[in-house]
Amino acid sequence: MKVELFEHAVRVAMSRRRLLQGAAAVGGLAAVGGLGAKQAAAQEDVRAAILKIPGVGAGSPTDADWQKVGEMCLAATKASVTEGEFAGVELTFMGLNNQNLHNFLFRGFLKPWEAYTGAKINWIDLAQADYNARLQQSIATGTVDFDIIEMGAPFEGDVCGKGLASEMPDWVKTQIDMDDYVDYLKAPVGTWDGKTYRISIDGDCHTFAYRKDYYENEEFAAAWKDSGGEGEWAVPTTWKQVQAHSKFLAGKKDPLTGLDAHGFLDPLKGWGGFGFYFLEDRATAYAKHPGDPAWLFDPDTMKPRVNNPAFVRAIQEVMDLIAVQGAYPADQINADPGTTAFSQFLAGTGSMLTWWGDVGSSARTSDTSVVGDVVGFGTLPGSDEVYNSKTGEWEQTANEAPNMAYIGWGVYVMARVDGDGKKHKAAWSAAAHLGGKDLSLWTSAYPSGFQPYRNSHFNYEEWETAGYDRAFVEDYLGSNADSYNHSNSAIEPRIPGIFQYYSVAEDELAKGFAGQYGSAQETADAIAAAWEKITDQIGRDSQIALYKASLGM
């Protein structure tokens, strides 16, 4: 480490955001010493070159771009696999076709890998809403018909816990440089019973995106003051403010499009379990107490906390906005999270959104985005009070709790390839190519379905190479870094059946939002009752043990 960098760190007590940036720079210096100057320089050249494909402002990447990037990142494969080594091998890959991302990109990235190795990949493409059901069917019937799967860490209890996944070979760990992962994605994430199964290709946390033009609008500021609004007209930092702003904006006009203005965009339609994360976003600041790692269940009994006053408040907030004419866009009851992000927010509808971090890269590099110049980012809004589940009381203290929703997508190889040495190596080689360090930088910077998840992704200068301006990068990457490293982040439990819990919660929330239950409390009680049945079906004692383990208790 340079003396001046060390002195600067001590002098200004670097924030989490700056510390990550500094760590990346130091890591770069270490790499030069460890790899040798020529090899390090070659890697830097590759990273700089792929970030210019196609370049920020040049439109959405195409299949030709994905193939080009895949070809340029093949060096690690060529170091461990001879040309044509996997001739005759056929692999089946199951993943998402969501928003024309995920599997669509993987096809392009892996075409040059197929051409070099001789292997062939067959694809199973799933919509996000169908993913959980398809995976659970394969597990329950013992008919795993895929060799590689794109899967999130929450499913590790269902898959790795049942012995369905292949343990990662040591050579793969070296090729993908697992030490570069941000800390919260390191073990125990990706492991089960001390064995490693996952190649991370994503980080996943929910961050807060907002329209700066709404908060720089003088007419809104004057109207807010005239209406008796509390405080200045400024970007909200609490859910109470989000709620007030959303009600205030109903009936006004969007400063960018001239269409109806809207505040926060809640997705009111389920998404195969993935939609429940967005109700969690509203709840974590109320429900995740800094002195308690648990927030979804009681760790000693698995009694659900989803019907406690914290979650009920979050549900009530959504119901309150449903009751305000114009607070939400028309037909919001049929808007899932894909709609709120890509068809609404990025397309210029609404002023506030919580979503996974890749909305940030899409804002500047997707043809469908019109908000790239006016979007800002932060961690999830907080609260002026937090519910203590141990005492059953609200505490009057400010609280933030970023939601580490889904812990990121990863690539897993199935145990069914373990009996065939050639197929085993081919499957892990394909997975390692998709999880490569250089390739991951490109997927973080361009629309892919993934967000930054490696320490090396927080080198701002590399993003500027792609055409991002520094202020935007610091804002976008900072919201991710601050969420990953928050001392009170809400960590998702890797327990069997987690998406069964989420899916039934979506079903009951839909009933509540449609007015089929008499109150937010009644809606929450219905979710809790359904969760209790799932726990009993899976086995309460085993769930308690696994839940505690997932929380580090």
Side-chain angles (χ1 to χ4, degrees), residues 195-258:
K195 297 180 180 179
T196 302
Y197 296 98
R198 165 188 167 107
I199 293 177
S200 289
I201 57 171
D202 183 24
D204 274 3
C205 62
H206 276 190
T207 58
F208 182 59
Y210 59 89
R211 292 268 300 278
K212 293 187 291 185
D213 55 333
Y214 269 68
Y215 289 99
E216 294 168 355
N217 187 286
E218 295 181 359
E219 292 183 9
F220 285 168
W224 174 256
K225 183 177 181 180
D226 291 344
S227 71
E230 183 178 343
E232 297 295 322
W233 178 246
V235 178
T237 58
T238 67
W239 283 108
K240 179 181 178 181
Q241 294 170 342
V242 169
Q243 199 75 354
H245 292 189
S246 296
K247 293 177 180 179
F248 163 77
L249 288 167
K252 295 179 173 56
K253 295 299 180 181
D254 188 291
L256 180 67
T257 67

Side-chain angles (χ1 to χ4, degrees), residues 2-32:
K2 293 182 178 180
V3 173
E4 61 267 30
L5 179 59
F6 174 79
E7 291 176 343
H8 178 68
V10 173
R11 185 171 61 252
V12 303
M14 294 168 74
S15 67
R16 289 185 300 272
R17 191 177 303 182
R18 291 179 182 135
L19 183 58
L20 266 176
Q21 183 185 1
V26 175
L29 293 174
V32 172

Side-chain angles (χ1 to χ4, degrees), residues 257-549:
T257 67
L259 301 175
D260 290 340
H262 300 287
F264 187 76
L265 298 171
D266 283 292
L268 304 184
K269 181 182 178 181
W271 212 30
F274 290 88
F276 183 67
Y277 287 123
F278 296 84
L279 190 279
E280 288 180 351
D281 290 345
R282 280 187 172 272
T284 52
Y286 304 138
K288 174 60 180 70
H289 192 281
D292 186 355
W295 56 285
L296 282 175
F297 302 90
D298 181 276
D300 295 318
T301 65
M302 281 299 289
K303 179 181 178 181
R305 293 183 177 177
V306 73
N307 61 337
N308 70 15
F311 274 90
V312 170
R313 177 179 292 184
I315 296 171
Q316 186 63 58
E317 287 178 350
V318 179
M319 291 181 170
D320 287 347
L321 289 185
I322 291 174
V324 175
Q325 181 69 30
Y328 290 129
D331 199 34
Q332 193 72 0
I333 200 71
N334 289 314
D336 63 26
T339 299
T340 58
F342 296 96
S343 300
Q344 292 180 344
F345 186 77
L346 291 177
T349 295
S351 60
M352 294 175 279
L353 175 86
T354 60
W355 227 80
W356 287 282
D358 56 296
V359 159
S361 55
S362 294
R364 285 291 179 95
T365 57
S366 172
D367 289 340
T368 61
S369 173
V370 301
V371 300
D373 292 331
V374 295
V375 65
F377 304 93
T379 55
L380 294 187
S383 172
D384 295 325
E385 57 182 351
V386 60
Y387 185 73
N388 188 328
S389 292
K390 295 179 178 179
T391 65
E393 302 288 341
W394 286 97
E395 296 179 2
Q396 303 303 309
T397 181
N399 191 53
E400 291 182 348
N403 184 13
M404 301 293 103
Y406 203 56
I407 324 181
W409 291 100
V411 179
Y412 302 73
V413 174
M414 295 295 99
R416 75 178 201 154
V417 307
D418 287 348
D420 183 330
K422 187 175 181 180
K423 193 169 187 179
H424 176 267
K425 184 178 179 181
W428 275 111
S429 176
H433 179 57
L434 292 179
K437 185 174 180 178
D438 297 337
L439 186 66
S440 73
L441 176 63
W442 191 93
T443 61
S444 295
Y446 288 98
S448 64
F450 314 118
Q451 67 189 61
Y453 68 94
R454 289 174 173 269
N455 291 322
S456 59
H457 291 163
F458 294 86
N459 182 340
Y460 300 158
E461 285 75 14
E462 286 192 315
W463 289 69
E464 289 180 283
T465 298
Y468 283 95
D469 63 84
R470 183 63 171 242
F472 181 91
V473 170
E474 290 185 1
D475 196 34
Y476 167 52
L477 291 182
S479 69
N480 284 270
D482 288 352
S483 298
Y484 288 151
N485 295 285
H486 199 283
S487 60
N488 191 41
S489 58
I491 304 295
E492 180 165 26
R494 297 179 304 134
I495 56 176
I498 190 64
F499 264 74
Q500 294 178 51
Y501 293 109
Y502 291 170
S503 294
V504 74
E506 284 186 346
D507 294 341
E508 300 303 329
L509 283 172
K511 295 175 186 177
F513 295 156
Q516 295 180 35
Y517 289 122
S519 65
Q521 184 67 64
E522 188 176 337
T523 304
D525 287 341
I527 298 172
W531 282 16
E532 288 279 54
K533 291 180 180 178
I534 294 171
T535 297
D536 287 335
Q537 290 169 359
I538 296 175
R540 189 169 298 270
D541 289 343
S542 64
Q543 288 292 80
I544 290 172
L546 291 171
Y547 184 49
K548 284 185 173 181

Side-chain angles (χ1 to χ4, degrees), residues 132-152:
N132 177 51
R134 175 64 165 82
L135 178 57
Q136 295 300 334
Q137 180 187 34
S138 297
I139 296 170
T141 60
T143 55
V144 173
D145 56 349
F146 44 86
D147 304 301
I148 310 172
I149 184 173
E150 176 196 19
M151 187 180 81

Side-chain angles (χ1 to χ4, degrees), residues 64-251:
D65 294 322
W66 303 330
Q67 290 188 48
K68 187 180 298 184
V69 171
E71 172 69 30
M72 295 172 68
C73 294
L74 268 183
T77 296
K78 293 179 178 180
S80 60
V81 178
T82 59
E83 188 170 3
E85 183 175 338
F86 302 143
V89 173
E90 286 199 26
L91 300 168
T92 300
F93 190 113
M94 188 167 90
L96 292 186
N97 62 0
N98 193 39
Q99 304 296 333
N100 293 324
L101 304 173
H102 297 264
N103 271 13
F104 289 89
L105 276 71
F106 297 159
R107 280 178 167 83
F109 293 152
L110 284 169
K111 280 184 180 178
W113 178 90
E114 290 178 274
Y116 174 78
T117 67
K120 178 184 177 182
I121 297 178
N122 302 308
W123 298 88
I124 299 174
D125 301 315
L126 300 173
Q128 186 118 19
D130 299 330
Y131 183 90
N132 177 51
R134 175 64 165 82
L135 178 57
Q136 295 300 334
Q137 180 187 34
S138 297
I139 296 170
T141 60
T143 55
V144 173
D145 56 349
F146 44 86
D147 304 301
I148 310 172
I149 184 173
E150 176 196 19
M151 187 180 81
F155 289 106
E156 289 175 357
D158 294 296
V159 174
C160 302
K162 291 182 172 63
L164 299 175
S166 174
E167 183 180 0
M168 183 188 294
D170 288 340
W171 64 268
V172 174
K173 298 177 184 178
T174 301
Q175 179 173 323
I176 63 176
D177 189 5
M178 294 183 70
D179 289 339
D180 188 40
Y181 291 170
V182 294
D183 285 346
Y184 108 96
L185 289 179
K186 294 178 180 178
V189 170
T191 70
W192 203 262
D193 289 336
K195 297 180 180 179
T196 302
Y197 296 98
R198 165 188 167 107
I199 293 177
S200 289
I201 57 171
D202 183 24
D204 274 3
C205 62
H206 276 190
T207 58
F208 182 59
Y210 59 89
R211 292 268 300 278
K212 293 187 291 185
D213 55 333
Y214 269 68
Y215 289 99
E216 294 168 355
N217 187 286
E218 295 181 359
E219 292 183 9
F220 285 168
W224 174 256
K225 183 177 181 180
D226 291 344
S227 71
E230 183 178 343
E232 297 295 322
W233 178 246
V235 178
T237 58
T238 67
W239 283 108
K240 179 181 178 181
Q241 294 170 342
V242 169
Q243 199 75 354
H245 292 189
S246 296
K247 293 177 180 179
F248 163 77
L249 288 167

